[in-house]
Amino acid sequence: MKILVSDQLEQSCIDILTGEGFEVDNTPGISADELKKTIGAYDGLVVRSATKVTAEVINHASQMKIIGRAGTGVDNIDVPAATRKGILVMNTPGGNTISAAEHTVSMLLSLARNIPQSNRSLMQGKWERKSFTGVEVFEKTLGVVGLGKIGREVAIRCKAFGMNIIGYDPVLANDVAMKLNIELVNLDELFRRSDFITVHTPLSKETKALLNDTTFAKCKRGVRIINCARGGIVDEAALLRALQSGYVGGAALDVFEEEPPNPEKSGALLTHPRVVATPHLGASTEEAQEKVAVQIAHQIADALKGRGYIGLVNGAALQLTMNEELKPYATLAEKLGSLAAQLAGGKLKGVTVGASGVLVSSSMELMKAGVLKGILSHVLPEPVNFVNAPLHAAEMGLTVNELREGPSDGFANLLRIQVQIEGGEREVAGTVYNSNSLRLVRIDGFRFELNPGGHLLVYNNMDRPGMLARVGTILAAHKVNIAGVSLGRTAMGERALTVMNIDSDIPEPALATLLNEEGIENVRVVRLD
Ligand code: NAD
Ligand code: MLT
């Protein structure tokens, strides 16, 4: 398999991947056009933040299986486009946390004490002690927006300087915040009370221009702003206005709306005397670069070789396939989905995945992804896998319900799929015996015991003598060999369901004859690979 490393990464990444037997091309600085031209030859791509993995690039990535981001932010990767194509995206969260936190604290102190400005002045031969009087951070209030990995490490370090830490994060629990000595407040209160505000969130719809003209006006006069997270969280034009009016006391920026910043657009901000700026250096330490390079190389090798899935940004269900007990259930889910879709034989309106038993009901994401993969493989022209099946289902407007059900028919774990079609529904259920024997145990309420594999002929018939013989005769006339027969009926003489394991496909004329046989209905030929 071939892997492209398209950004500047430590040699250890390339060495690990090569050592794992991958063919690696290292092309840091590759142009967007060249990337589009060549990407089709690769199974994997490793990037930092320079390569823009756009939907267009992804469209050309015809055999791509995985994109690895050596770092945290995946905003340079079109994750929805990758997901739609069934490409796994992974990052290395945590690999550069300490470096980014230390950089943030360095920026905060530089801002408080005018270190870059005074250094520049000294280098110009000046001795301007008065102009660079700073402020202490001791007993000042630091507002941390986003208390994830980096935000928390920043808080811990700033606490050591005697700062009061307040923070806002929609998911952080109060007790965790309390242990970290962080007072959780709402955003308005954070703006109102903070002397310094540092942001540590991803760039999202909610955080884009979080600091803008309106929110600056809610802040203390003289507030100092630090952004070492993502350009765009602070509205640069609004920040410049607030600096020029003197309302904002200073800003420290490591990240920008456009990188590298456009001098025409951002020049006034970057050269403002109360702005301290670095060129996206948060993770630029020897340690962080080594860590993320090694981590992403191992993660990619593990995923491509099916050994494990760490740092998944999409396709989270795949992680569960590493549980040996669950693996056969993932295959069963796929087969049941495929069977249900083929039995339905028409436009699906909805799917219900019912799980009974601890194993299957505690891994619904995997079960649903498997069922949807099985179903959609019969519906969509493009390849469907565990990564893109849920997205495709959502985009098609297919309703997917899940039911955690009580003990069922004495099976330790039972997976039940119901598909709703125009004018009715079909139901199949299966289980796994002895940790790896898949069994189809129910179709439309009729009980069976058969291996869900190969070619199956499924039909309803009246439970009366001679029905099986008639079907057997038709198949024999067309040289179709019957490998096994299972019959399910509600009561003697009533409607029954017959499933035949057959050794080959049924030719069209045989099918046409079967469809016209009196007493035989709902004939379906199913193929389960
Ligand atoms: P993380 O996922 O651990 O933490 C992000 C936190 O932001 C989460 O706790 C989340 O709940 C919170 N959050 C999300 N939306 C929010 C909102 N609307 N308001 C408040 N909080 C919100 O991520 P991390 O590893 O701590 O990284 C934080 C940021 O730093 C990311 O944007 C990442 O890309 C960036 N980063 C930059 C550098 C750099 O070189 N400058 C290096 C590493 C990471
Ligand atoms: C990240 O999100 O990890 C950072 O932007 C660091 C980087 O890769 O430069």
Side-chain angles (χ1 to χ4, degrees), residues 73 96 148-150 169-171 200-202 207 228 230 254 280 282-283:
N96 55 29
K149 291 180 290 298
I150 298 171
D169 189 302
V171 299
H200 297 287
T201 68
T207 62
C228 291
R230 274 296 174 266
D254 183 46
H280 202 144

Side-chain angles (χ1 to χ4, degrees), residues 314-502:
N314 61 3
L318 270 177
Q319 220 153 356
L320 293 168
T321 61
M322 288 299 100
N323 176 335
E324 285 303 320
E325 268 190 297
L326 269 176
K327 266 187 192 158
Y329 280 97
T331 312
L332 177 72
E334 245 184 279
K335 292 206 181 239
L336 292 180
S338 169
L339 173 62
Q342 293 179 75
L343 290 179
K347 187 168 163 34
L348 299 184
K349 295 202 310 193
V351 182
T352 302
V353 180
S356 83
V358 177
L359 195 60
V360 285
S361 48
S362 61
S363 45
M364 278 309 248
E365 288 314 306
L366 180 63
M367 297 302 118
K368 282 192 294 185
V371 168
L372 293 174
K373 175 175 187 262
I375 291 176
L376 298 181
S377 301
H378 292 279
V379 176
L380 295 174
E382 61 263 44
V384 184
N385 61 20
F386 280 81
V387 178
N388 61 9
L391 180 78
H392 280 308
E395 286 182 348
M396 289 165 66
L398 188 67
T399 316
V400 183
N401 297 310
E402 58 179 66
L403 284 178
R404 285 179 178 77
E405 302 178 313
S408 185
D409 290 351
F411 296 107
N413 284 284
L414 186 81
L415 199 57
R416 192 175 66 83
I417 319 303
Q418 233 174 353
V419 287
Q420 286 87 43
I421 39 174
E422 211 59 63
E425 62 180 32
R426 303 232 44 180
E427 185 217 33
V428 296
T431 191
V432 176
Y433 289 153
N434 303 325
S435 70
N436 62 4
S437 289
L438 310 192
R439 281 291 177 277
L440 174 63
V441 298
R442 220 159 63 203
I443 300 180
D444 297 336
F446 295 101
R447 286 161 183 252
F448 291 93
E449 269 278 326
L450 58 100
N451 172 20
H455 295 81
L456 303 179
L457 172 65
V458 184
Y459 59 87
N460 286 109
N461 58 280
M462 291 314 293
D463 180 38
R464 59 179 191 236
M467 298 299 285
L468 200 55
R470 274 164 51 201
V471 174
T473 308
I474 295 167
L475 294 182
H478 291 85
K479 303 203 169 13
V480 177
N481 193 42
I482 301 171
V485 178
S486 310
L487 302 167
R489 63 179 187 185
T490 40
M492 203 174 20
E494 292 196 355
R495 203 158 175 263
L497 192 118
T498 302
V499 183
M500 285 188 182
N501 295 87
I502 47 181

Side-chain angles (χ1 to χ4, degrees), residues 67-296:
I67 300 170
R69 160 73 157 104
T72 309
V74 286
D75 32 1
N76 56 321
I77 302 169
D78 190 330
V79 179
T83 307
R84 190 166 300 112
K85 208 155 186 195
I87 300 173
L88 270 182
V89 179
M90 45 176 55
N91 64 356
T92 55
N96 55 29
T97 299
I98 298 300
S99 291
E102 288 182 357
H103 193 72
T104 307
V105 177
S106 313
M107 294 292 266
L108 183 144
L109 293 175
S110 299
L111 186 61
R113 303 303 295 269
N114 302 307
I115 289 173
Q117 299 93 322
S118 54
N119 176 256
R120 225 166 20 236
S121 146
L122 192 58
M123 286 170 79
Q124 287 163 1
K126 299 179 194 158
W127 188 255
E128 299 178 301
R129 294 184 65 207
K130 255 205 150 70
S131 331
F132 295 118
T133 304
V135 290
E136 285 184 351
V137 298
F138 180 65
E139 290 187 343
K140 295 287 176 353
T141 297
L142 172 67
V144 185
V145 183
L147 285 157
K149 291 180 290 298
I150 298 171
R152 291 185 214 185
E153 292 298 334
V154 168
I156 290 167
R157 282 154 183 75
C158 290
K159 192 83 198 164
F161 290 127
M163 297 188 85
N164 305 314
I165 316 291
I166 60 176
Y168 170 74
D169 189 302
V171 299
L172 189 72
N174 254 316
D175 54 337
V176 180
M178 261 166 63
K179 276 192 203 130
L180 292 164
N181 274 316
I182 301 171
E183 181 190 346
L184 284 185
V185 294
N186 63 35
L187 266 183
D188 277 354
E189 187 172 346
L190 184 143
F191 293 143
R192 188 167 48 76
R193 287 175 51 193
S194 299
D195 300 296
F196 292 80
I197 295 175
T198 182
V199 292
H200 297 287
T201 68
L203 178 66
S204 64
K205 270 208 306 284
E206 290 74 34
T207 62
K208 191 170 164 53
L210 183 83
L211 289 165
N212 56 35
D213 289 314
T214 313
T215 47
F216 283 136
K218 294 180 181 176
C219 294
K220 266 190 190 176
R221 192 174 181 86
V223 65
R224 288 173 169 81
I225 307 293
I226 302 122
N227 183 6
C228 291
R230 274 296 174 266
I233 299 174
V234 179
D235 178 332
E236 288 178 3
L239 176 62
L240 181 61
R241 282 191 287 277
L243 283 160
Q244 286 168 338
S245 72
Y247 200 84
V248 163
L253 306 171
D254 183 46
V255 287
F256 304 91
E257 286 173 1
E258 204 178 311
E259 291 185 8
N262 174 345
E264 269 180 33
K265 195 180 144 229
S266 309
L269 180 65
L270 288 175
T271 55
H272 192 280
R274 277 178 285 116
V275 169
V276 170
T278 46
H280 202 144
L281 291 184
S284 295
T285 61
E286 290 166 16
E287 293 83 355
Q289 287 316 305
E290 183 64 19
K291 266 189 262 179
V292 296
V294 168
Q295 278 176 14
I296 202 66

